[in-house]
């Protein structure tokens, strides 16, 4: 075993990986390790069987360790390090490499983007400097703290800038792929994705189906967590909504936080462009909801986007055109059927927030008191708390009628949803009691009623007569919960407030001009795709001394 320590010699992770692979392939070699000598990297070398005794390397030093069959083979390998490093420098010539981001901006003032792939402990500082210079950021680096991500994204948003990441592996801007993007043709389908490989899968599928991509914005995997709140995703939707080159939008994510889902659906709902939503593993409220189309997997999302793109125009149904939103107001669902109540809650939770129930899907939806509604509320009146000492509401409407009157007296309530369940053993004529209560409530004030009539033409209650009574009282009747949920969402969706500092289109431009800080292969990729780019000869500030870095950061702020 032999080693070499190069003090303060910084190389990006791709170069180190290539050097390690080249050393390991030399004659007589057993294994090789090439790392920046951080404690974590030293632990990895120890775990793979290297003896690091006597190797006094600091975190910002380059540590090269080889294990060979003979001392001569080990010495030969160490002796070839410089030659191997020369072979693995950037394949794209650049006469001058600025040593700082500020210097790069001076050399390429038209740059709108900064690509950052330096080690995580330095990445937040570089990203903040880029934002201070008025640049959008593609932050590939991982191991950035959640606190830094939130702070940086809020700063970017407040300054009309976009920060994609951290841990953002893929994006396509002005036809140029960033990170691990596939090469796809330009087109009029835009993508916002909190999943790098998800973005790749959908963009590649759209290309293979004959379509093209206008812009594809990666957000980083944590963007749709509750703490971050989907800042980048909301910016991306807003940007694509205003982009004249984008006709159809696709929104992709692994299972997001439920509260963030509601925010994003409301933002997408407020954009007039058709939007395909694929939250993998999250139950969609419907197949279609206004301008929103819900897909259950990535290939379906791509196919839907292509189908919608091919339509000359997207039509809304006559019923949707006739609706006048009654916001701000709350929905109250009074159900006799427990599964119908659960299905309604499942669909509405994607659209309305906050929403509560006595049969919650998530813990935060638990109604504090079943006798007192909060905000949007879905009640299963057949639960034990309501049926002790009384008949089930499918047989006796008394309790539901009492609750209906209470809800209509609340001026914050704009829509009440009821189910009318027919069949053997059920109330012989439920509409005869429910319809007069609906008519009386609508006479007193402007309030909407939606009734789900569940039954067949052979049921003893006469399903046609039940529908006629409910419609005669002024209720809108549906035969299934899904359609009722769609109607409620059309009535009650919350108009999205436009971003205070939207991203101007002249910041994006028609071509990609970028500064790359970190992995040199990303620079090579930009140049090979025809982008204007410059590579920064970046080194850890203050030699990686964190205390000195903090002092320098304070001095810059002054």
């Amino acid at each position: 075993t032999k080693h070499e320590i190069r003090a303060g010699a910084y190389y990006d992770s791709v170069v180190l990986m290539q050097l390690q692979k080249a050393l390991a392939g030399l004659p007589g070699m057993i294994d090789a390790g090439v790392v920046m000598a951080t404690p974590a990297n030293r632990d990895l070398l120890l775990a793979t069987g290297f003896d690091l005794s006597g190797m006094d390397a600091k975190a910002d030093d380059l540590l090269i360790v080889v294990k060979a069959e003979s001392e001569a083979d080990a010495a030969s390998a160490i002796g070839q390090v410089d030659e191997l490093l020369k072979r693995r420098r950037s394949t794209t010539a650049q006469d001058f490499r600025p040593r700082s981001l500020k210097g790069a901006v001076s050399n390429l003032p038209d740059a709108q983007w900064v690509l950052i792939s330096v080690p995580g402990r330095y990445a937040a500082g570089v990203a903040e400097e880029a934002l201070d210079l008025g640049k959008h950021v593609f932050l590939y680096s991982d191991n950035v703290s959640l606190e830094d991500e939130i702070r940086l994204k809020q700063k970017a948003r407040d300054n009309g800038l976009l920060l994609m990441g951290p841990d953002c592996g893929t994006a396509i801007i002005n036809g140029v792929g960033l990170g691990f993007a596939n090469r796809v043709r330009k087109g009029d389908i835009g993508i916002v994705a909190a999943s790098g490989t998800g973005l790749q899968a959908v963009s590649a599928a759209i290309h293979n189906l004959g379509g093209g991509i206008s812009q594809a914005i990666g957000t980083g995997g944590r963007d749709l967590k509750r703490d971050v709140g989907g800042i980048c995703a909301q910016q991306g939707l807003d940007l694509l909504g205003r982009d004249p080159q984008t006709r159809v939008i696709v929104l992709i994510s692994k299972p997001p936080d439920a509260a963030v889902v509601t925010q994003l659906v409301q933002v997408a709902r407020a954009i007039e462009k058709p939007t395909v939503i694929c939250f993998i593993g999250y139950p969609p409220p419907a197949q279609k909801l206004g301008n929103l189309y819900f897909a259950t997997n990535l290939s379906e999302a791509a196919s839907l986007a292509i189908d919608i793109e091919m339509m000359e125009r997207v039509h809304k149904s006559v019923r949707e055109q006739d609706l006048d939103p009654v916001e701000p107001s709350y929905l109250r669902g009074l159900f006799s059927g427990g599964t119908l109540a659960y299905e309604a809650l499942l669909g509405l939770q994607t659209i309305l927030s906050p929403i509560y129930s006595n049969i919650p899907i998530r813990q935060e939806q638990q109604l504090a008191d079943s006798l007192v509604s909060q905000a949007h509320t879905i009640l299963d009146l057949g639960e034990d708390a309501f049926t002790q000492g009384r008949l089930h509401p499918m047989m006796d409407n008394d309790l539901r009628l009492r609750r209906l009157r209470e809800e209509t007296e609340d001026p914050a309530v704009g829509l009440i949803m009821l189910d009318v369940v027919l069949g053997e053993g059920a109330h012989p004529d439920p509409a005869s009691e429910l319809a007069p209560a609906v008519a009386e409530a609508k006479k007193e004030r402007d309030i909407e009623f939606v009734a789900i009539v569940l039954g067949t033409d052979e049921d003893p209650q006469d399903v046609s007569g039940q529908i006629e009574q409910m419609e005669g009282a002024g209720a809108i009747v549906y035969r299934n919960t899904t359609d009722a949920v769609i109607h409620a969402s059309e009535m009650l969706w919350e108009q999205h407030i436009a971003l205070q500092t939207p991203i101007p289109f002249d910041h994006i431009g028609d071509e990609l001009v970028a500064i790359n800080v970190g992995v040199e292969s990303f620079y090579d990729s930009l140049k090979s795709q025809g982008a204007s780019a410059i590579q920064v000869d970046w080194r850890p500030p203050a030699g990686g001394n964190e205390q000195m870095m903090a002092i320098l950061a304070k001095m810059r702020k002054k």
Side-chain angles (χ1 to χ4, degrees), residues 182-262:
N182 298 95
R183 294 199 179 188
V184 298
R185 72 177 62 85
K186 284 189 176 182
D188 51 15
I189 298 176
I191 301 174
V192 177
S195 166
T197 49
L199 190 155
Q200 286 188 266
V202 172
S203 60
I206 287 171
H207 175 91
N208 293 335
L209 290 168
I213 304 301
S214 56
Q215 310 283 358
I217 297 169
T219 69
R222 292 189 309 207
D223 190 69
L224 270 59
K225 299 294 184 184
R226 180 185 292 268
D227 292 338
V228 184
I231 292 174
C232 184
Q234 291 190 53
Q235 286 183 290
L237 288 171
D238 176 74
L239 182 66
L240 295 178
R242 294 182 289 110
D243 177 17
Q245 302 301 315
T246 300
R247 285 190 57 201
V248 179
I249 300 170
V250 182
L251 175 61
I252 311 162
S253 174
K254 295 186 286 291
D257 186 278
V260 179
V261 167
T262 305

Side-chain angles (χ1 to χ4, degrees), residues 273-300:
K273 296 178 181 179
T275 301
V276 178
I277 297 177
C278 181
F279 294 143
I280 300 171
Y282 195 95
Q287 290 181 322
K288 182 179 182 295
L289 185 61
N291 63 314
L292 307 184
Y293 298 77
F294 292 89
T296 56
N297 57 63
L298 298 174
S299 60
E300 183 185 2

Side-chain angles (χ1 to χ4, degrees), residues 360-378:
I361 296 171
R362 304 190 305 271
Q363 184 177 358
E364 65 268 22
Q365 296 172 343
Q366 178 64 59
L367 195 61
D369 183 350
S370 296
L371 300 178
V372 181
S373 297
Q374 296 175 244
H376 303 290
T377 296
I378 300 293

